[in-house]
Each structure stands twice: as structure tokens, then as C-alpha cells.
Amino acid sequence: MENILEIKGLNKAYDGFALRDVTFALPKGYIMGFVGQNGSGKTTTIRSILNMAKIDSGSISVFGLDSVTDTIAIKERLGVVFDSLYLAEHLNVKLIEKQMKPFYKDWSSEEFFRRIKEFDLPDNKRVGDFSKGMKMKLMIAIALSHGAELMILDEPTSGLDPVARDELLDILAEYIEDENRGVLFSTHITADVERIADYVTILHNGKVWFTGEKDDLSEKYAVIKGAEKDIPTALKEKMIGFHAYRNGFEALIPTDDLSGIPSSLEYEKASIDEILVYIAKEDKNGRHS
């Protein structure tokens, strides 16, 4: 399987924070949900992919090209959607098109205005006056108009109403029907990842906590509940984010460790949201970082 994006051993340190040995890959033809708490390092990783942050060590390959030495060639084939508009907000759509066209050798004005019409965006209104959902659609229209093969989105659905979120996810689902493309979708709204992602990478405290197929993640962890007195000692050591309360306990546990548990304990598959919550609880317990 050919990878459209590969990150190997990425390290990047700032005062008080560091990415440590971040390694994951996105195969061509798929959507990857990139999730983690605020401050986990998602945006720093994306900035590193885009060569907007100078990495300390490791390597990043996009389309088989080096993210540093081949950055111009990569950006010709890349579409980026941030959580805020990166365009001149006093311009309208027609002027934005004139501004963007010289930057891309494969730019299609016909495709741009087709998408503007499809997305129901006004062409004579200041883009700074667009709603957040409209701004997201405009950035996607730009990406599609120069034939972007990889779309990188950093918290694009943050602050969107449910209808706008649904429209954006539908656009991404249509985009990925071309199996030569890929999507890296950074978000803290895990319901969006549950809906459209094929792969998931969880970043926690600057390190990769999990990376792989979304279905593998859902099969790998469970939420276990019951009376604390019924927990075998050996089992408790394997629990993540253990939390006791007056009437019992709850925790995350690898499904491989569920064999032989007492029938008095209940468990069910963990959602991505629950996994993130229990990882955070584990930090508060001081057991793992």
C-alpha cells in the first residue's frame, strides 16, 4: 500500500513542550483522523509537515518527496484548510481567485467558480463577512481548483453548526472517492472522526499513543465498570484512567486483558472520545505520561 504521507521519528522542542519520536503514515486513498487534547501537538505536527516549523530531527515525506527540500513541489499538490481564514478578508471571491491563480501552475478558474456555485458562496461579498462554514468551503474550493492530492485540515469543524459540519464532511467523503488522494483531518470533535475516518492517530503529550485503522482502535480498548472489590489485583494494574466513586469504578482496559474477568464486571467497546478522556485521567492519576 502506497503512503501519501509518512512521518518518521519527528522531534520538535519548544519551551515547555516537545514532539517526541512522532511516527505515523497515511496510505493513499484514505482519511486519517488526527486527534488529541488541546496542546497535544497536533498543530505543531501539521506546521512541521508544511515546513512552517523547522524540525529538530526525523523525516517527513509527502508524495514521496522531502518536506524540506521539496517544499515548493509539495505545496503545488497540497490543499490546506485551517480553523481561520488565511486570505485577505477585504476581498471578494472574484478578487481572491485572481490573487490565488498565479501561485498554482494547474489552477482551473472554471473549477473554482463551479465549486463556488456548488457551495452556494456569493462572489461579490467580502470574504471577511462570510460565516465560518462559508470560509471553510472557500478554502476547500481553492484546494480543489488546483487539483490538490492531499488535503490537510486543522480543526476545520471547530465552531461550525451541525449543518455546516455535515456539509463539510460530505465534501471530504466525495473528495476521497478519488483513491489517489488523501486527507489528514485534525480535530477534537471525535464524532466527525468516527463518521468519516479510515485511520486514526492519537497524539498525547507530544507522543503517538495510537496509530492505525479506526476499526482496530475500536476493537482494542473497552470501558470496564463494576464494584471495586471485584477487581482482581493483576487486572487493576492494566487499567487506564482508573476512577473510583461511591458506587463502583470505571476505567479503560485493553480488550486483550479481558479474558477471565469476573462476571460481576461489565464492559463495552470504548469510543474515541472515551479513550481520550481516560488517557487524560491516567495523567491525573500520575501513573503514565
Side-chain angles (χ1 to χ4, degrees):
M1 190 179 297
E2 184 180 354
N3 292 325
I4 199 166
L5 170 67
E6 288 186 5
I7 300 178
K8 297 180 180 178
L10 171 60
N11 291 282
K12 172 64 180 176
Y14 293 104
D15 289 342
F17 176 78
L19 293 177
R20 291 169 284 176
D21 195 30
V22 170
T23 300
F24 65 87
L26 170 60
K28 187 179 289 188
Y30 294 97
I31 296 176
M32 174 177 282
F34 192 36
V35 300
Q37 292 176 270
N38 290 338
S40 61
K42 301 188 302 295
T43 296
T44 300
T45 302
I46 287 174
R47 284 174 55 83
S48 299
I49 295 169
L50 299 175
N51 197 30
M52 295 170 64
K54 185 178 180 181
I55 65 176
D56 297 331
S57 60
S59 64
I60 302 173
S61 171
V62 187
F63 314 119
L65 303 173
D66 183 85
S67 65
V68 177
T69 59
D70 301 313
T71 186
I72 295 176
I74 288 171
K75 288 176 180 176
E76 277 279 354
R77 302 164 62 185
L78 202 62
V80 181
V81 178
F82 292 120
D83 66 342
S84 58
L85 194 66
Y86 54 77
L87 303 166
E89 297 200 355
H90 65 285
L91 301 180
N92 61 29
V93 162
K94 291 180 178 178
L95 293 174
I96 289 290
E97 196 272 339
K98 288 182 179 179
Q99 187 182 65
M100 300 301 298
K101 186 174 181 178
F103 289 98
Y104 298 101
K105 61 184 180 183
D106 292 328
W107 181 268
S108 169
S109 297
E110 181 181 355
E111 176 67 9
F112 178 79
F113 286 109
R114 186 179 77 81
R115 292 291 181 173
I116 293 301
K117 185 177 181 180
E118 177 187 340
F119 297 162
D120 199 25
L121 298 176
D123 60 11
N124 57 356
K125 183 178 180 180
R126 281 168 30 104
V127 299
D129 295 331
F130 282 12
S131 68
K132 188 160 187 178
M134 293 165 70
K135 291 175 181 177
M136 295 300 106
K137 289 179 181 178
L138 175 57
M139 287 187 277
I140 290 175
I142 290 169
L144 296 176
S145 299
H146 65 86
E149 298 165 50
L150 173 63
M151 195 92 74
I152 296 179
L153 304 100
D154 190 12
E155 300 286 358
T157 56
S158 176
L160 295 185
D161 63 61
V163 174
R165 278 176 54 205
D166 186 69
E167 289 177 343
L168 180 59
L169 298 182
D170 284 345
I171 291 168
L172 294 180
E174 177 196 345
Y175 172 79
I176 206 66
E177 288 177 3
D178 183 333
E179 295 182 356
N180 290 313
R181 295 171 173 171
V183 175
L184 180 67
F185 182 62
S186 166
T187 183
H188 66 276
I189 303 175
T190 57
D192 295 341
V193 175
E194 299 271 13
R195 174 178 159 183
I196 67 167
D198 307 290
Y199 287 80
V200 175
T201 293
I202 298 176
L203 209 59
H204 182 65
N205 288 343
K207 296 190 289 187
V208 173
W209 194 86
F210 173 88
T211 188
E213 294 184 28
K214 181 183 67 180
D215 292 344
D216 287 347
L217 176 63
S218 65
E219 295 293 335
K220 196 169 183 177
Y221 293 96
V223 175
I224 187 168
K225 303 177 181 180
E228 188 173 358
K229 65 180 177 61
D230 294 336
I231 308 172
T233 302
L235 186 67
K236 190 171 183 179
E237 291 300 314
K238 297 174 181 178
M239 293 180 181
I240 300 166
F242 179 88
H243 176 66
Y245 48 95
R246 187 171 62 179
N247 296 320
F249 81 94
E250 59 184 24
L252 187 71
I253 189 167
T255 51
D256 288 346
D257 295 321
L258 287 172
S259 58
I261 68 166
S263 58
S264 57
L265 299 181
E266 300 178 354
Y267 64 89
E268 57 187 17
K269 287 182 182 180
S271 68
I272 297 174
D273 217 24
E274 288 172 323
I275 290 171
L276 294 179
V277 167
Y278 285 106
I279 293 172
K281 284 182 179 180
E282 187 73 358
D283 273 0
K284 290 181 178 180
N285 291 343
R287 292 167 60 181
H288 298 287
S289 63

